[in-house]
Amino acid sequence: MTERFDAVDIIRTKRDRERLTTEQINWVIDAYTRGVVADEQMAALNMAIFLNGMDRTEIVDWTTAMMNSGERMNFDALSRTTSDKHSTGGVGDKITLPLAPLVAAFDVAVPQLSGRGLGHTGGTLDKLESIPGWQANFSNERMMEILEDPGCIICAPGTGLAPADKKIYALRDITATVDCIPLIASSIMSKKIAEGTASLVLDVKVGSGAFMKDIQNARELASTMVELGNDAGVRTVALLTDMSRPLGRKIGNALEVAESVEILAGGGPRDVRELTIALAREMLTLAGKPDVDIAAALDDGRAMDVWKRMIRAQGGDPDAPLPKAKHTLTVEADRDGYLGELDALAVGVASWRLGAGRARKEDPVQAGAGIEIHAGFGEPVQRGQTLFTLHSDTPERFERALESLMPGFAVTNTPVSLPESVILERIA
Ligand code: URA
């Protein structure tokens, strides 16, 4: 087959800061998916985009081309509307686990296609795989059945969904081109639009533990994604939320499942409960149910009931004990004061080094590895009090984990003013 364009011309266009046309973008994404454009050419193009950016039309075209590279799902046959949430990823971000059953408890179906962790941010599927028997892969037919009853599913996307993004994301990961707003926005939204959800809430993390370290960039990412979603007919809103500190008190796969179950039982850390309810409120509002009493469904066991049924529908045993790491190490306060600093990135990297995350896609993760934080940010602490428990199956990892954790917190003399909320802004 004669090709309509030449990859070298397209790379040169972007290298020279010119606009790519719709036809050029459609061709390069399709040709790369077919294997006609080589990895090194797509890597060069990604770097040119990283350095020189894309305008709104190019971003829409890039997103559409990636979406059209594979199948589009359709939930119109379901008896209820759908709503989904996507987080840009952070440390201790287990919100999907309690959120999906909470929203489903109000008769809104939640098709939560999730990923695995890479680097210091954990992956939802890795967390759930710590539940004995739980499975991540389902046919589209079985997925539809589970979305009818119990009404939510957290699973891996089928291989047919936005295959171009899969290839490009793997390439970006090894060529330092991940943290680029046009590429992140198009990557996330191509998958979410192809997934076919009727509405979508984006949780865009801001701070040391997130892709976006400052609020201006987070705002730009969020508004780009909200516009892409709404233009494609998916009702979309975004919350910007704080990721300068870890979310909750438990970081690591099985540890985060345990904390999610605390939230589903009506307890758990204040920040995790607050964000779960806020995101549920946005999802339910988009789904036409703005006035329901969300907190009540956590407190009276309705969300827990849906959680247990979802875990069973996915082959897991919600009542089985969760795996525990073979070794632990505690870190104590060396003086009286306040836990006045607690850096999300330091804690995330430490948990990853303990075995909770992976360095390469094919690496296994340890289900029980991670960190428990015993004192909340800003709380008074006493000399000798345990601040952290580190968990790992491989005790030789403790030293490298401590190298990351120790500079990431401080016991201060004066109290710090506590932020009122983890929610920084809403973008609609
Ligand atoms: N998550 C994605 O799916 N894609 C990105 O580019 C970044 C985060």
Side-chain angles (χ1 to χ4, degrees), residues 289-309:
K289 301 192 175 193
D291 298 322
V292 290
D293 184 352
I294 297 170
L298 289 176
D299 297 334
D300 65 15
R302 268 177 293 158
M304 178 73 93
D305 179 56
V306 180
W307 159 263
K308 289 191 175 194
R309 290 197 289 127

Side-chain angles (χ1 to χ4, degrees), residues 98-387:
L99 180 65
L102 176 60
V103 172
F106 292 96
D107 273 336
V108 171
V110 184
Q112 186 72 58
L113 303 187
S114 299
R116 292 180 195 284
L118 197 63
H120 73 276
T121 60
T124 298
L125 301 181
D126 295 327
K127 294 171 198 185
L128 284 162
E129 272 174 355
S130 62
I131 300 174
W134 186 88
Q135 298 294 318
N137 293 298
F138 291 91
S139 65
N140 289 356
E141 293 69 34
R142 182 66 188 131
M143 189 174 166
M144 293 296 270
E145 281 169 16
I146 297 175
L147 282 171
E148 275 299 343
D149 182 26
C152 54
I153 184 168
I154 304 175
C155 64
T159 48
L161 208 73
D165 176 65
K166 229 164 260 147
K167 275 186 88 175
I168 293 174
Y169 191 78
L171 203 57
R172 286 167 57 209
D173 200 41
I174 53 169
T175 54
T177 48
V178 169
D179 43 350
C180 164
I181 290 173
L183 294 178
I184 297 176
S186 54
S187 165
I188 292 173
M189 294 309 292
S190 63
K191 286 174 287 201
K192 288 295 163 186
I193 299 167
E195 173 198 294
T197 183
S199 61
L200 174 67
V201 178
L202 298 159
D203 179 2
V204 177
K205 302 285 185 198
V206 192
S208 77
F211 275 128
M212 296 293 126
K213 309 290 178 201
D214 66 76
I215 192 117
Q216 280 87 354
N217 282 333
R219 240 180 239 137
E220 190 186 331
L221 176 63
S223 57
T224 307
M225 292 196 291
V226 167
E227 211 173 294
L228 284 170
N230 285 324
D231 285 355
V234 180
R235 296 188 298 281
T236 308
V237 299
L239 296 183
L240 304 190
T241 70
D242 184 27
M243 191 29 73
S244 55
R245 281 177 290 280
L247 203 50
R249 301 286 191 95
K250 295 189 168 104
I251 324 298
N253 299 309
L255 289 167
E256 293 191 38
V257 173
E259 190 164 84
S260 303
V261 171
E262 287 170 29
I263 296 291
L264 288 159
R270 192 179 60 96
D271 56 348
V272 183
R273 180 173 161 107
E274 182 204 8
L275 187 52
T276 304
I277 292 175
L279 290 166
R281 170 77 58 218
E282 297 292 348
M283 290 168 77
L284 288 163
T285 302
L286 289 174
K289 301 192 175 193
D291 298 322
V292 290
D293 184 352
I294 297 170
L298 289 176
D299 297 334
D300 65 15
R302 268 177 293 158
M304 178 73 93
D305 179 56
V306 180
W307 159 263
K308 289 191 175 194
R309 290 197 289 127
M310 173 183 76
I311 297 299
R312 282 193 200 104
Q314 298 192 230
D317 178 356
D319 302 312
L322 290 164
K324 285 194 167 24
K326 294 197 185 87
H327 302 272
T328 58
L329 180 85
T330 55
V331 175
E332 282 88 31
D334 58 2
R335 61 202 183 99
D336 293 353
Y338 300 86
L339 188 63
E341 271 175 41
L342 184 61
D343 179 66
L345 183 62
V347 175
V349 170
S351 171
W352 172 47
R353 289 182 180 171
L354 289 168
R358 52 172 70 79
R360 289 169 310 161
K361 276 204 300 292
E362 49 288 350
D363 290 347
V365 294
Q366 293 182 18
I371 298 184
E372 275 179 282
I373 305 168
H374 300 289
F377 175 68
E379 279 182 12
V381 296
Q382 291 182 337
R383 183 163 191 256
Q385 178 183 336
T386 301
L387 298 180

Side-chain angles (χ1 to χ4, degrees), residues 60-122:
V60 170
D61 288 343
W62 192 267
T63 307
T64 310
M66 291 214 292
M67 191 182 80
N68 288 339
S69 71
E71 65 171 330
R72 287 192 73 171
M73 297 184 67
N74 186 324
F75 298 121
D76 290 350
L78 288 177
S79 62
R80 45 188 126 170
T81 187
T82 48
S83 191
D84 190 7
K85 185 267 311 190
H86 180 86
S87 157
T88 56
V91 177
D93 183 5
K94 71 275 293 169
I95 302 291
T96 294
L97 278 60
L99 180 65
L102 176 60
V103 172
F106 292 96
D107 273 336
V108 171
V110 184
Q112 186 72 58
L113 303 187
S114 299
R116 292 180 195 284
L118 197 63
H120 73 276
T121 60

